[in-house]
């Protein structure tokens, strides 16, 4: 399961921030919407500078959609904490890529306002295994799922595994660069997924005229489950250097996060997330990518070769 979206809790103040990796629109396999002379759909993309949002935006444009890329720092300003920004963002939009905040409180009101403004479709980014999660994680995503289902509009939910890109863009990038990733997971596998695959799935669901794809929850993963130890060994070989994986107890993990400066809410969220993973809810691969795109998801080894070629872990 990913977190928001951001995709994981942000690095603590003073820690290295994630590198922005622009998506390559030419890499998209998302199909274009049907023609027929109809006006292009206008899609509001929330968290447009986030890990999936910045991939969804160019893919939507390539698919022929008009895009409103929204965030607190974008030309289309959107702030969950400032409801005055909601109306201008949704006005005229026919679909919304909904990336919820950690706080569930504003989500239902936003969805109701968007539906009243004429939004016809919501595609929600969520996390796989969310239904098994404790109260310390994922409440915003759960609220978004409920609100979309109850909106009276078309909806689809994309529940994703941990992104490949957590290893090279944010959460685990600096530990890997420093030669040690330490987590409380053991030999339980994780079916990591490429954020590019998640973006392709989202774009298809936002633009498709095929309503049989809507009103459904898609669990999207990579093609195989691997342990974190195996993942680290694969990245180390590709980087041509030694990177250690260290197994921690949950107590040791929480202590290391606090020592690194993570705020308590992030410690709780990550601790809750790894409790979910240890129970095996995200271990096995799913066929969500194939259901939507008609192709297999990108393998972890292909991602590692691509990322290692940039020198990110060297």
């Amino acid at each position: 399961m990913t977190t928001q979206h951001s995709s994981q809790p942000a690095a603590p103040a003073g820690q290295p921030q994630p590198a922005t990796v622009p998506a390559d629109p030419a890499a998209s396999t998302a199909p274009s919407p049907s023609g027929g002379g109809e006006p292009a759909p206008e899609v509001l993309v929330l968290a447009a500078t986030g890990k999936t949002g910045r991939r969804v935006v160019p893919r939507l444009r390539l698919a022929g959609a008009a895009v409103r890329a929204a965030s607190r720092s974008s030309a289309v300003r959107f702030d969950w904490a400032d409801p005055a920004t909601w109306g201008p963002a949704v006005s005229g939009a026919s679909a919304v890529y909904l990336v919820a905040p950690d706080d569930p409180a504003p989500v239902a009101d936003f969805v109701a306002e968007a539906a009243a403004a004429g939004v016809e479709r919501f595609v929600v980014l969520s996390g796989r295994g969310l239904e098994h999660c404790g109260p310390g994680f994922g409440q915003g995503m759960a609220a978004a799922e409920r609100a979309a289902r109850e909106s009276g509009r078309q909806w689809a939910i994309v529940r994703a595994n941990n992104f490949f890109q957590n290893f090279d863009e944010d959460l685990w990038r600096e530990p890997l660069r420093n030669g040690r990733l330490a987590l409380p997971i053991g030999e339980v596998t994780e079916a990591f997924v490429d954020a590019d695959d998640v973006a392709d799935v989202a774009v298809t669901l936002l633009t498709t005229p095929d309503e049989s794809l809507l009103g459904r929850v898609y669990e999207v993963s990579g093609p195989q489950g691997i342990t974190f130890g195996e993942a680290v060994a694969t990245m180390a070989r590709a980087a041509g250097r030694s990177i250690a994986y260290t197994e921690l107890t949950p107590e040791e993990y929480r202590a290391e996060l606090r020592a690194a400066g993570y705020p308590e809410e992030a410690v709780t969220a990550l601790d809750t997330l790894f409790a979910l993973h240890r129970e095996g809810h995200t271990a096995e691969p799913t066929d969500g990518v194939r259901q939507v795109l008609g192709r297999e998801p990108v393998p972890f080894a292909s991602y590692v070769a691509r990322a290692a070629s940039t020198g990110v872990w060297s």
Side-chain angles (χ1 to χ4, degrees), residues 178-314:
N178 292 333
R180 174 183 178 268
L181 181 63
L183 298 171
I185 189 62
E187 293 301 309
V188 179
T189 59
E190 170 75 13
F192 301 100
V193 66
D194 197 326
D196 289 320
D197 281 345
V198 176
D200 281 343
V201 167
V203 168
T204 297
L205 295 172
L206 285 161
T207 60
T208 183
D210 182 359
E211 294 187 9
S212 69
L213 291 176
L214 305 176
R216 297 169 62 180
V217 177
Y218 294 96
E219 295 191 340
V220 294
S221 78
Q224 65 187 124
I226 59 176
T227 68
F228 275 84
E230 290 168 340
V232 170
T234 300
M235 290 180 284
R237 286 193 297 270
R241 60 182 289 253
S242 175
I243 306 175
Y245 172 76
T246 302
E247 180 64 26
L248 301 177
T249 66
E251 294 76 17
E252 291 169 336
Y253 181 57
R254 292 192 295 269
E256 288 208 1
L257 291 173
R258 292 183 182 115
Y262 279 77
E264 198 60 32
E265 58 269 23
V267 173
T268 299
L270 286 165
D271 185 50
T272 304
L273 181 63
F274 274 98
L276 173 82
H277 293 326
R278 285 193 300 273
E279 292 171 358
H281 297 299
T282 61
E284 297 300 320
T286 69
D287 64 350
V289 171
R290 190 184 320 115
Q291 287 180 45
V292 179
L293 302 178
R295 64 162 174 82
E296 295 303 309
V298 172
F300 185 70
S302 298
Y303 153 76
V304 170
R306 187 174 76 224
S309 70
T310 70
V312 66
W313 303 307
S314 299

Side-chain angles (χ1 to χ4, degrees), residues 11-306:
Q15 296 296 311
Q17 296 301 308
T20 298
V21 181
D24 177 8
S28 174
T29 58
S32 298
S34 61
E38 296 180 358
E42 187 159 358
V43 182
L44 172 65
V45 177
L46 302 185
T49 59
K51 189 173 295 172
T52 61
R54 67 176 180 264
R55 290 171 162 87
V56 166
V57 167
R59 284 166 164 79
L60 281 170
R61 289 177 176 149
L62 188 66
V67 183
R68 248 180 239 183
S71 70
R72 284 179 294 183
S73 59
S74 299
V76 178
R77 185 169 176 270
F78 183 90
D79 188 341
W80 285 104
D82 183 3
T85 66
W86 301 354
V90 300
S91 179
S94 60
V96 173
Y97 180 56
L98 178 50
V99 181
D102 293 330
D103 179 8
V107 176
D109 287 343
F110 165 74
V111 169
E113 182 171 336
V119 169
E120 298 170 353
R121 183 178 300 184
F122 296 93
V123 174
V124 179
L125 177 64
S126 189
R128 189 173 170 210
L130 183 68
E131 70 275 24
H132 303 290
C133 227
F137 175 84
Q139 297 307 299
M141 290 186 287
E145 289 195 11
R146 287 193 301 271
R149 290 173 183 268
E150 296 169 3
S151 67
R153 301 296 187 264
Q154 296 174 338
W155 60 269
I157 294 165
V158 181
R159 289 184 173 178
N161 270 70
N162 261 300
F163 299 145
F164 293 164
Q165 286 76 8
N166 291 339
F167 290 112
D168 74 296
E169 292 184 19
D170 55 12
L171 187 62
W172 301 313
R173 176 176 180 265
E174 291 308 314
L176 290 166
R177 287 175 63 88
N178 292 333
R180 174 183 178 268
L181 181 63
L183 298 171
I185 189 62
E187 293 301 309
V188 179
T189 59
E190 170 75 13
F192 301 100
V193 66
D194 197 326
D196 289 320
D197 281 345
V198 176
D200 281 343
V201 167
V203 168
T204 297
L205 295 172
L206 285 161
T207 60
T208 183
D210 182 359
E211 294 187 9
S212 69
L213 291 176
L214 305 176
R216 297 169 62 180
V217 177
Y218 294 96
E219 295 191 340
V220 294
S221 78
Q224 65 187 124
I226 59 176
T227 68
F228 275 84
E230 290 168 340
V232 170
T234 300
M235 290 180 284
R237 286 193 297 270
R241 60 182 289 253
S242 175
I243 306 175
Y245 172 76
T246 302
E247 180 64 26
L248 301 177
T249 66
E251 294 76 17
E252 291 169 336
Y253 181 57
R254 292 192 295 269
E256 288 208 1
L257 291 173
R258 292 183 182 115
Y262 279 77
E264 198 60 32
E265 58 269 23
V267 173
T268 299
L270 286 165
D271 185 50
T272 304
L273 181 63
F274 274 98
L276 173 82
H277 293 326
R278 285 193 300 273
E279 292 171 358
H281 297 299
T282 61
E284 297 300 320
T286 69
D287 64 350
V289 171
R290 190 184 320 115
Q291 287 180 45
V292 179
L293 302 178
R295 64 162 174 82
E296 295 303 309
V298 172
F300 185 70
S302 298
Y303 153 76
V304 170
R306 187 174 76 224

